[in-house]
Amino acid sequence: MSAYKPLVVVGDVLLDEDIEGVSTRLAPDAPAPVVDVTGDQRRPGGAGLAAALATRGGRDVVLVTALGDDPASEAVRRSLRGRVRLVELPLNGTLPVKTRVLAGGRALVRIDRGGGAPGEPDAAVRDTLAQAHAVLVADYGRHTASAVREHLAAVAPKVPVVWDPHLKGDVPVPGARIVTPNAAETMALCRGDGDSLRAFAERGADLAERWRVATVAVTLGERGVLLTRPGAATPMLVPAPYRAEGDACGAGDCFAAATAAALADGALPEEAVQRAVAEAAAFVAAGGAGNPSLWRTPPPDARREVPETDPFVLAEQVRARGGTVVATGGCFDLLHAGHVGLLESARRIGDCLIVCVNSDESVERLKGPGRPLNPLPDRMRVLAGLGSVDAVAVFDGDTPSELLGRLRPDVWVKGGDYSAEDLPEAEVLRGWGGQAVVLPYLDGRSTTLLARRAAEAAAPIRPPGR
């Protein structure tokens, strides 16, 4: 990324502190849990976390925020040093510190201390925003956005501005590209009936019109994100790619930072939100803001849309607990009812199902020119999205024998009307005591037949007599 066109984050930095421990008893003088402390960590929160997350992939990030001379401000500077460039406003007071006490990974209480007001921005703030490739406003209700509002309004017509609002903060500047309120903020800002998707769509569209912004992306947690526009009757719902189990602290910052980064890369709002939803899910699954590795090393580029399951690790884990590893294979070029039935039946045989899929080169050798119809990444994604499939592995040969030798499944499944002993993989399976089996296949279903039908349907109809 060019140092002259950074992503600029504007907003309120906090210092987040987690005191972690275990609790097995109550205090003798009050019905309160006693926490035996096992560790603690401190890290930048608010706009500081958003700025750190925006540096993924080596992106140049500048953070415009208010910092003072207090210990909390110094701790933030140390944590962000080498990650982001700081352009500071003076802070009249002390930096807010939010302390969570956790037992067994669950928060028991949060203690808030400190607070101050940002001073006037100088020319460095104005120049930084004028050079921005994209701007993220991480508003935490501490009025940094208000202090630089005039400069934000000046750049909004020229560069993408993402505004993550707060109920105690300022309203977004007109012309902002995407505003990202969560469900609770949306309900508080715009009254309506219930929490249905229709109700949130109406609120989002109303807010977009009221604020005079291009889009409002309402974050709905596990339900995903609803992208709305002023006056639009039909919103876009971007669901989470998978259910992320973990600490959701900081997920909103991750979503907003990823959205701004995608817009800086030239993505459309719809594309930016899809990328951001995937990154936020991966962030939560990895432990959220409390993940220690987030601050020990530069954060990785997390633009995966689905979490990858290592098939070899999965097989070892299932075997270690005495389970049965089942595998099957094929091209899976156009997934049809025959495939789905086979995979569902295969999964019921054991404790996990690993699908061995032919590479593009292997499919072309077996099926001829023009195949596969779908490239390998698409075929893998479709398979991984099925509830019956636990992992996907790829092989380049005409048979998966070499791959099976590494996976060592207990059962190898194929669909068809032939004997299991005719399968070239059967002898390989016997090497470690495995068994090849054949399952019934639905008649009349095949990728070749489907492709032929599609080609015939697409062929132009000639008039009679020609």
Side-chain angles (χ1 to χ4, degrees), residues 46 48 62 87 108 176 178 182 187-188 222 247 262 271 277 316 358 416 419 445 462:
V62 180
V87 175
L108 297 181
I178 302 179
N182 61 31
M187 295 178 75
E222 294 179 353
D247 189 352
E271 297 170 327
V277 168
E316 287 295 334
N358 298 69
S419 168
R445 277 80 170 181
R462 295 186 178 183

Side-chain angles (χ1 to χ4, degrees), residues 419-442:
S419 168
E421 297 306 314
D422 296 332
L423 295 175
E425 300 87 6
E427 183 63 31
V428 178
L429 267 290
R430 282 193 286 269
W432 55 84
Q435 176 64 54
V437 300
V438 175
L439 295 181
Y441 204 66
L442 290 176

Side-chain angles (χ1 to χ4, degrees), residues 53 104 160 227 231 268 276 293 375 405 434:
L53 292 171
L227 192 64
L268 296 172
S293 65

